[in-house]
Amino acid sequence: MPEPLTAADLRQVADIGGFFALRLVWPEGEAERAGSAPGGEAEAAGSAPGGAAEMVGSAPGGEGEVAGSAPGADGGSLVGAGPHSAPLGEIYAGRRAPLAFRVAKVRAAIAAPEVRIAASIAQLGLAARLSSIALGSAVLHDRIPDFDPARLHWDPDASSPDDLFLATAASRPVPDLAAIVLDQHLAPLAAALRVELRISERLLWGNAGSAVAAAAREIHRWAGRTGHPQAAARARTLADTLFADPRLTGTGTFEAPGFRRRSCCLYYRIPGGGVCGDCCFRTPPVRTPPSPSRRTG
């Protein structure tokens, strides 16, 4: 196995942007934040102002403070984790309360008229967090955090960088990228949502593709700012590897100036939502109400 990722390593990854931050924690109560974005901001690359990617990591009011503790993987408690926190593995296995809490929270924050809109935005946010941390670590350190779902805790009441806690410093080799991001997390996350809600699988995988592309774009922008052109090329190569997976192939195309997805996250349906920067729609579709039925005879 590769060498563990240290807190210093993860601070370097977090410097790329808000969605790239991760906390390392241990059940004994020793916790060290591995980087955070100034002000707790979690802006995703490629989003239109006011679009879904700007909202996905945010709690109402923009607050990301976490209090209390949650059970750890070894029976202790994770310092800083809120009362709604849970290992993602438990959520994928059927513990629905944290996911339902997050969807409800997002729905209230964006005034979504349909629950599936909030579910889409919530899933897009978590997909962006997981994709960003994994891709950033692979690019900068040639290894990936061991996102064992039993040890990766998610706080649905928090925003980046305070929503994900990893109870191990172990790492995995870069060839495991698709297995970690897609097989261990995004596939079971989509399945968990679809157990409770009528939401398109194609839409959810479109969100996953959008999240991967946004992570690669943000690394590209960071590389340009900091003079690391090799990091930009590496990010695009790894993103292409993920898009070679049949579940992401066809979710969108890379075109100037960026990625254009082939599905919509539904953000345009909220009051004043507009379209995201990578949306398949150039302008928000006009929804025409059905004509009233006519009586005949």
Side-chain angles (χ1 to χ4, degrees), residues 19-288:
F19 276 174
F20 291 77
L22 176 67
R23 280 186 172 189
L24 291 180
V25 295
W26 288 270
E28 295 84 354
E30 296 295 325
E32 181 174 7
R33 178 180 295 188
S36 62
E41 295 178 355
E43 181 180 356
S47 63
E54 186 175 339
M55 175 64 73
V56 288
S58 304
E63 298 298 325
E65 295 301 319
V66 186
S69 61
D74 298 325
S77 62
L78 301 181
V79 168
H84 300 283
S85 300
L88 281 168
E90 292 185 9
I91 295 171
Y92 303 153
R95 183 176 172 183
R96 304 292 183 228
L99 199 54
F101 179 92
R102 182 62 179 178
V103 171
K105 187 180 180 86
V106 170
R107 188 177 188 183
I110 65 177
E114 304 171 60
V115 68
R116 69 191 181 109
I117 300 171
S120 170
I121 303 307
Q123 181 258 359
L124 176 54
L126 187 51
R129 294 285 283 118
L130 295 166
S131 301
S132 296
I133 297 166
L135 203 60
S137 298
V139 168
L140 294 190
H141 299 298
D142 200 34
R143 55 196 189 278
I144 307 160
D146 184 2
F147 277 170
D148 178 353
R151 290 183 170 271
L152 182 59
H153 294 246
W154 178 55
D155 186 346
D157 198 23
S159 59
S160 173
D162 296 313
D163 56 338
L164 288 177
F165 301 78
L166 184 60
T168 177
S171 68
R172 300 268 296 274
V174 171
D176 289 352
L177 180 63
I180 292 169
V181 175
L182 305 182
D183 297 337
Q184 287 192 335
H185 288 282
L186 298 189
L189 174 61
L193 282 167
R194 284 170 53 80
V195 166
E196 301 293 329
L197 301 168
R198 294 187 61 185
I199 185 167
S200 165
E201 185 176 17
R202 178 173 179 267
L203 180 157
L204 295 175
W205 281 112
N207 286 352
S210 177
V212 170
R217 277 198 305 275
E218 186 64 15
I219 293 171
H220 187 276
R221 291 175 177 177
W222 171 86
R225 293 194 304 269
T226 59
H228 293 85
Q230 70 282 2
R234 177 68 164 156
R236 178 57 190 272
T237 297
L238 292 174
D240 287 344
T241 299
L242 288 173
F243 275 98
D245 186 281
R247 292 164 292 190
L248 294 189
T249 299
T251 59
T253 57
F254 287 93
E255 58 182 48
F259 181 76
R260 179 69 58 182
R261 59 184 292 175
R262 293 198 175 104
S263 61
C264 175
C265 73
L266 306 179
Y267 186 80
Y268 78 91
R269 295 193 181 190
I270 74 168
V275 296
C276 302
D278 63 355
C279 187
C280 59
F281 300 119
R282 303 289 179 172
T283 58
V286 177
R287 302 185 69 195
T288 304

